[in-house]
Amino acid sequence: MMSWLLGLSLAFAADPAEEAQRIELERARAQVADQVHLAAFDLIDELVYQLREEPIFAQPTPVVLAGVSVPVGLGTGMQALLENHLAGVLIANPEANLQLVHCPQCTAVVVRSSAKGTVVSRGVDDPALLAELGVEAGRHALFIDVEAEGAFLVLRARLTELSPSLPIVWSHTLSSSTSSPALLRDSTALKSAEEARAEYLNLLNGQGSVVIPARVSVRTYALPEGDNAGTAPPPFIWLQAGVELSPTVARRWTSGMTLGYALIPEAYQGLMAQARLSRLVSGQARSLTHPDLYLFGGLSLSTVWGPATASFRNQALTLDEILTDTALDEPRATFGALQLGAEVRLGNRVGFGVFLETMPQFKTSRNFGRYATLGPVEAHAFGAEVALCF
Amino acid sequence: MNLTLLLAIWASPFIRPQPGSWRDPDEAANYTCTRLSLEEAERARPGAVRPRGPRGDLYDRDVMLCQERILPLGLRLDGDEAVLSSLESRVTELAGAARGYRPDLLGATWLVEVFYPSPAVSAKISFAAKNALMAEGLRVSDRAPTLAAGDVQVITRMPPEDAYPTACRRYADNGSLRAGEVLLAVVQLDRLETTLHAGLCAAGSWTWLR
């Protein structure tokens, strides 16, 4: 008996693979709904804006919101969001002359039995029955449908008069594509899509694809350890300026090239050329309201000279070398470095970053320690920087 | 050597991703790409494309505009996806064909009925078809003709080529499709096909549009 029950329970238990697939599909659907609902809100805003500019009725007219349907495959949660948004925007824009009214008989399933037979339908599909139920004549039913058609989100609307012949008195179709950014219009101050687009472009034009960064960075070099350890170079302060480009206004990828100069009188001077590639990791596009986090990698070529640059060599410094360098020929070193770091950008105007740097040329030098080791790569320098972007 | 690497890093963002050897085929299937001229691209995506310089460009440029599907493939049944992905163009074509086929019915009231396995997709097709007929300037009603239970029992056992003309006759006989009304029926004849067929029913006479 027990084995029979066990077998029965196993037979009815969901296959774990199918269950996992179902959960994954639900997760993907929820993610899509989350991304799409702003675009659907935009379409609703545009619909109400057009109704406000060209009202269907001369006077405020009672309208039943008979149905809002969402893309096949997405859940009812999105449907509720769209219904609420539509109601909110219509209430905020009475000039559209559509007064939403509550009519439970209209949206309920009703059954009519007569000598001809029994008919099961929704109230809005049987106006004669609605009249018998006391629903006043002259009402209209508003139907909204949102569907994902390839790369386009399409909104269809129709208004049907609740009279026996159910004539459709108005219909409209709008669409937007996945490549259209959400307009995020204020529901109490609707604008046309063109006006909203112009505002959006004005905002974007304020920060084009070319940015001029001016940067102050400080590099500290790890102290060497162990026997025969040399002397690490002093911290270096660099002033850098250059150009930073991005192929799109989203600024998901940016690349920059800067030239730098360092000067501490009587200690050192230096010149640097640096290229950097940054990737936005805090979102799909640069945020207008929140800080953006970028990860970057870079390559630099530096040349430094002056008494304090004697440590940029592979041998440990001897007292003789220090005296010779100081008294006669100034030490000079030219080296390359690879860089990896993170930067937080505020409004693409101010940036704060930290990075680690490795100098392959000094891998065997006794004058450099290491802050971190990633496989064969040793981080000889740690840096912090502040950038102002123009 | 170092300068070459610097330039390579600096230029790398300008290698734009697009379907092809750099992109996984499954991922590429979720994109619809169109090649646009620079002027078209500036109109379609202002701010995203560098405009042509006042003295022209050093080389010819055009733009590949790739748009991602709203619902990735695999979230809906393949057949439904095929129909829904091109719904607007399908119903526009059907409405145009219906309007052109019977000019004598331009003054009639048009009803729409959809015969498709999925009720949710049927509702979508019906909604879109009604809007498309309205856009053609036709008078459209939300009313749906009905059949008695006995009629349904008989008609559903018939082959499609007989079932739709019979249903059309019954609509006229039982008065649910009145004089001055015409029914546009959108039909999927075979569950494996993605083509939508259409027929017209007026005064008890059935005609296949396509």
Side-chain angles (χ1 to χ4, degrees), chain A residues 197, chain B residues 37-47 49-52:
Chain A
R197 182 182 171 111
Chain B
S37 70
L38 210 55
E39 289 72 25
E40 289 170 329
E42 279 179 51
R43 280 196 298 275
R45 298 299 310 266
V49 182
R50 181 164 53 86
R52 203 184 297 282

Side-chain angles (χ1 to χ4, degrees), chain B residues 80-121:
Chain B
D80 293 349
E81 183 63 53
V83 170
L84 291 172
S85 289
S86 51
L87 184 57
E88 185 61 26
S89 57
R90 284 168 187 254
V91 293
T92 303
E93 187 189 341
L94 281 182
R99 189 180 191 278
Y101 191 75
R102 293 283 299 271
D104 55 310
L105 295 175
L106 293 185
T109 299
W110 291 70
L111 282 58
V112 175
E113 192 75 292
V114 177
F115 300 93
Y116 191 89
S118 158
V121 180

Side-chain angles (χ1 to χ4, degrees), chain A residues 10 39 205 226 229 232 245 248 341 344:
Chain A
L10 285 175
N205 288 335
L245 298 178
T248 67
V344 173

